[in-house]
Amino acid sequence: MPRASLSADAVVALALETVDEKGASALTLSAVAGRAGVATPSLYKHVRGLAELRVLVSARIMDDMADAAGQAVLGRSADEAVRAFMEAWRTYARRHPHRYAAMLQNPEPGSAEAGERLLGIILAALRSYGLTDSAAIHMTRCLRAAVHGFAVLETGGAFGLPESLDESYDLLIRIVTAGAHAAPPA
């Protein structure tokens, strides 16, 4: 990429290419600068450092996941919406395991908007169960723990037994939706 077309968005795109090819741990300013064909200090015109780049990459990943989840749940409610959300999450993690690993799990100001989009999608689905306020937050945490835990284990190759992962994930979805029905409303 020529120097003239470098921007914060372009730096993030190059960072994602690096992650896709070499994994989350390969994300360095030096690697991105090399891919851009510039010296590492040139990146500081577009990002303040590696920490900010990681946040921007994470925000882009969350936005992509929110786009996929939003499309999946559109027109659905309750169990169908939760199932669609969970399947979209898993599909993203399976298609982009290195990106998924690069997504920061703790809230950061630079990724807050993207995180809010994901949160808004699931909170909307949970309203179908009558869950609002703190009850919806508790259920959202349970759902996130379930999908994230499964995604990390699956993309890391940690499920070694021969039983079908699809059947296991379907069971997880049924457990989460049953929990949503049983959760006390706010």
Side-chain angles (χ1 to χ4, degrees):
M1 174 175 291
R3 194 181 292 225
S5 64
L6 210 54
S7 65
D9 283 342
V11 171
V12 169
L14 292 168
L16 287 168
E17 288 176 14
T18 301
V19 167
D20 286 342
E21 287 179 18
K22 299 183 179 178
S25 63
L27 180 57
T28 64
L29 290 177
S30 176
V32 174
R35 190 174 287 275
V38 300
T40 302
S42 297
L43 296 181
Y44 288 99
K45 296 174 187 169
H46 309 288
V47 295
R48 286 183 285 238
L50 184 58
E52 181 183 48
L53 181 57
R54 288 185 193 281
V55 170
L56 293 172
V57 163
S58 189
R60 179 78 59 88
I61 293 165
M62 283 185 220
D63 273 334
D64 291 347
M65 289 180 68
D67 289 345
Q71 273 301 115
V73 303
L74 195 62
R76 294 179 167 90
S77 64
D79 292 358
E80 285 184 11
V82 170
R83 174 175 289 282
F85 182 90
M86 291 178 71
E87 287 175 350
W89 189 293
R90 180 181 183 215
T91 297
Y92 185 90
R94 290 171 76 186
R95 284 188 183 147
H96 307 285
H98 295 309
R99 285 185 186 204
Y100 190 78
M103 185 173 61
L104 301 175
Q105 296 301 316
N106 54 325
E108 293 283 340
S111 62
E113 187 175 322
E116 290 288 327
R117 285 185 63 218
L118 271 171
L119 180 62
I121 292 165
I122 195 56
L123 288 174
L126 293 176
R127 280 194 292 273
S128 302
Y129 297 98
L131 300 175
T132 59
D133 303 323
S134 64
I137 297 300
H138 293 307
M139 190 62 214
T140 298
R141 287 176 178 161
C142 292
L143 188 149
R144 179 181 175 209
V147 295
H148 176 67
F150 199 97
V152 167
L153 292 169
E154 182 176 21
T155 59
F159 292 129
L161 298 176
E163 283 72 23
S164 165
L165 290 177
D166 292 339
E167 288 179 27
S168 296
Y169 201 70
D170 185 63
L171 175 60
L172 182 64
I173 291 170
R174 287 184 281 130
I175 289 169
V176 169
T177 56
H181 284 284

